[in-house]
């Protein structure tokens, strides 16, 4: 690690640094070594009186030097950190935890120390009674078990917005667990897979969601605290583009990509008849289209691949939604492995067409419906009834939101035809929107843990932005 050593790339030999580049006590050691080498006969091990005197003086000099002076300064090497989040629970949401564990395995295999990988995962699908392969989780058909060795730092109720934001900002008191301890020399990689809606990404068990305003405030705080050199954020969720569009600055060394734009769904993949592992159909989606694209690329990519090239391949493979890129793209030519793993920072390949793999997708808003339909097709006990119950729930949910819109003089078309720009929200609009979402979370069937319900909450943001009074009260009335 001695920064004085310089590597000669042409000769592949190390050139000896000058004596002056060493601290004084190291120079003294080198001088004594040189002098001793000249004063000692190779055929005679007896020391002369002058050599002995020099050794005595050397020992006395070294005794006066503090022990920590012998630790050479740390070189300009980065320490890489990763924060990985699966923001849902339940076997029907299998894909999010499968994506997250796959990301964990990549980070670990590519050299990020496990103590520097912070994983949020409810951890309920591997041993779910619905899992036909107990204790194992797969992210692709006939793939490897990604659950083995996947160590979550936060599980169950500890998978929350408050703890996630605390981890990002290094707030150990709130997190009550491991947090980022990164510095301005370190790279940070954040990967989040979950359900979403305009301006929010969900958390398990109907916990409060992570809002775009709060997430971006945390990223700003990280920058102000010198908690990263460069930061890469990959986000898998419906309407995920709304978390950064018009909000994330372009000069903060944060490079963010999302599975979808601000008004469309993301898509699951390896679903239904494709969700087969060693002859067993898991019936649920094993992964998400955008996520599987970058994860499988990271598994097989040449080490020198750049962020830009990796994302070009992801864009090609994610055909059902529009992958977005936000923030600071000035370092898009850097190795993807310098974030997803512990590679040193170098510029990677930018050009050349990446070979794309064709995968089918299922609208994430219909993932639960797809799960019940797959089981019904297989003739599993109670599956047809569960499928019909899901259809009925969706009809009831749509009717509730029509009633909310009507309470504010809006037509039923607003329920699915809303347009909302969270980047334009002022504090009052955010307060209205958060209160309305909270009312859904606490008062309506399934709260906001359901992807179909989340597909409607953006309407509440549109009402708030239009100045409608007490939208939360209308929600509570409709769900009573």
């Amino acid at each position: 690690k001695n920064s004085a050593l310089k590597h000669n790339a042409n000769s592949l030999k190390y050139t000896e640094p000058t004596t002056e580049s060493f601290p004084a006590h190291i120079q003294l050691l080198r001088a004594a070594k040189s002098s001793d080498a000249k004063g000692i006969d190779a055929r005679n091990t007896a020391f002369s009186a002058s050599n002995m005197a020099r050794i005595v003086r050397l020992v006395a000099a070294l005794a006066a030097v503090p022990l920590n002076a012998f630790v050479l300064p740390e070189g300009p090497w980065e320490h890489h950190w990763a924060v990985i989040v699966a923001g849902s629970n339940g076997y029907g949401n299998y894909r999010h935890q499968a994506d997250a564990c796959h990301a964990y395995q990549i980070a670990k295999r590519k050299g990020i120390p496990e103590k520097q990988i912070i994983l949020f995962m409810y951890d309920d699908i591997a041993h779910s009674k619905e899992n036909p392969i107990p204790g194992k989780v797969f992210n692709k058909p006939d793939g490897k078990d990604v659950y083995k060795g996947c160590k979550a730092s936060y599980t169950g109720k500890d998978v929350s917005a408050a703890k996630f934001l605390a981890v990002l900002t290094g707030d150990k008191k709130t997190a009550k667990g491991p947090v980022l301890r990164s510095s301005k020399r370190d790279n940070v990689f954040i990967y989040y897979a979950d359900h979403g809606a305009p301006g929010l990404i969900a958390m398990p068990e109907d916990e409060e969601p992570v809002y775009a305003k709060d997430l971006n405030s945390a990223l700003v705080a990280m920058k102000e605290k010198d908690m990263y050199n460069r930061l890469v954020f990959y986000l898998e969720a419906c309407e995920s583009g709304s978390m950064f569009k018009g909000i994330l600055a372009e000069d903060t060394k944060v490079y963010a990509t999302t599975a979808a734009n601000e008004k469309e769904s993301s898509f699951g993949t390896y679903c239904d008849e494709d969700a087969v592992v060693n002859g067993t159909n898991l019936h649920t989606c094993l992964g998400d289209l955008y996520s599987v694209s970058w994860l499988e690329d990271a598994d097989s990519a040449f080490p020198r691949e750049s962020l830009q090239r990796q994302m070009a391949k992801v864009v090609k493979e994610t055909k059902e939604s529009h992958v977005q890129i936000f923030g600071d793209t000035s370092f898009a030519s850097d190795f993807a492995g310098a974030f997803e793993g512990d590679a040193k920072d170098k510029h990677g390949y930018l050009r050349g067409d990446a070979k794309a793999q064709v995968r089918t997708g299922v609208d994430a808003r219909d993932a639960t419906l797809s799960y019940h339909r797959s089981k019904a097709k297989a003739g599993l006990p109670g599956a047809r009834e569960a499928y019909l119950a899901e259809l009925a729930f969706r009809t009831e949910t749509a009717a509730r939101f029509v009633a909310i819109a009507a309470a504010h003089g809006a037509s039923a078309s607003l329920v699915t035809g809303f347009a909302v720009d969270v980047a334009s929200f002022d504090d009052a609009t955010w307060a209205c929107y958060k209160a309305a979402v909270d009312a859904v979370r606490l008062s309506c069937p399934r709260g906001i843990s359901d992807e179909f319900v989340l597909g409607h909450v953006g309407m509440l943001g549109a009402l708030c932005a239009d100045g409608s009074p007490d939208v939360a009260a209308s929600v509570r009335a409709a769900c009573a």
Side-chain angles (χ1 to χ4, degrees), residues 440-459:
V440 175
R441 184 173 70 85
L442 299 174
S443 304
C444 298
R446 297 193 193 175
I448 60 169
S449 62
D450 181 82
E451 69 268 21
F452 189 74
V453 174
L454 279 171
H456 292 75
V457 300
M459 182 199 79

Side-chain angles (χ1 to χ4, degrees), residues 105-118:
Q105 302 292 359
I106 288 170
K108 181 171 69 172
R109 188 176 69 251
K110 292 199 171 189
I112 299 181
E114 286 190 272
K115 66 181 181 180
Q116 289 168 210
I117 307 172
I118 301 173

Side-chain angles (χ1 to χ4, degrees), residues 401 405 408 410-419 456 458-460 462-463:
F401 279 90
H408 293 276
S411 67
S413 62
L414 181 66
V415 174
T416 56
F418 59 83
H456 292 75
M459 182 199 79
L460 308 178
L463 291 172

Side-chain angles (χ1 to χ4, degrees), residues 227-439:
M227 291 185 68
Y228 64 86
N229 176 20
R230 284 154 303 161
L231 186 152
V232 169
F233 200 129
Y234 283 6
L235 176 57
E236 172 78 60
C238 294
E239 286 95 17
S240 46
S242 66
M243 296 298 289
F244 300 115
K245 184 179 180 181
I247 305 173
L248 182 62
E250 298 179 358
D251 59 353
T252 59
K253 295 296 183 184
V254 175
Y255 174 91
T257 79
T258 62
N261 64 26
E262 73 282 5
K263 56 186 179 182
E264 66 184 356
S265 298
S266 63
F267 283 73
T269 193
Y270 300 143
C271 309
D272 201 354
E273 64 269 13
D274 292 331
V276 176
V277 177
N278 298 326
T280 299
N281 193 326
L282 279 68
H283 299 292
T284 187
C285 296
L286 303 186
D288 289 286
L289 198 54
Y290 157 92
S291 293
V292 162
S293 294
W294 82 258
L295 289 163
E296 292 186 11
D297 178 74
D299 277 333
S300 60
F302 187 69
R304 295 178 63 83
E305 181 181 54
S306 68
L307 286 167
Q308 182 174 325
R309 180 177 165 85
Q310 181 180 82
M311 203 43 54
K313 183 177 181 183
V314 172
V315 168
K316 281 186 177 182
E317 294 186 349
T318 311
K319 295 181 178 297
E320 309 286 356
S321 61
H322 300 84
V323 174
Q324 304 290 296
I325 299 175
F326 301 97
D328 193 338
T329 59
S330 65
F331 57 95
S333 61
D334 287 0
F335 287 168
F339 302 93
E340 298 157 6
D342 199 30
K344 289 188 172 64
D345 296 324
K346 300 278 186 178
H347 292 321
Y349 292 117
L350 299 174
R351 299 190 179 126
D353 289 335
K355 185 177 180 180
Q357 181 174 336
V358 178
R359 303 181 186 87
T360 57
V362 169
D363 189 323
R365 297 290 185 217
D366 295 328
T368 298
L369 198 63
S370 171
Y371 168 57
H372 290 305
R373 183 170 56 239
S374 178
K375 293 178 72 175
K377 283 165 55 179
L380 297 179
R384 184 174 182 275
E385 291 76 9
Y387 176 67
L388 294 175
E390 178 64 23
L391 289 174
F393 170 79
R394 290 173 173 237
T395 300
E396 294 165 3
T397 296
R400 288 188 189 97
F401 279 90
V402 168
I404 294 167
H408 293 276
S411 67
S413 62
L414 181 66
V415 174
T416 56
F418 59 83
V420 57
D421 176 18
V422 299
S424 67
F425 282 11
D426 57 19
D427 288 345
T429 306
W430 270 116
C432 172
Y433 186 39
K434 287 184 177 183
V437 171
D438 224 32

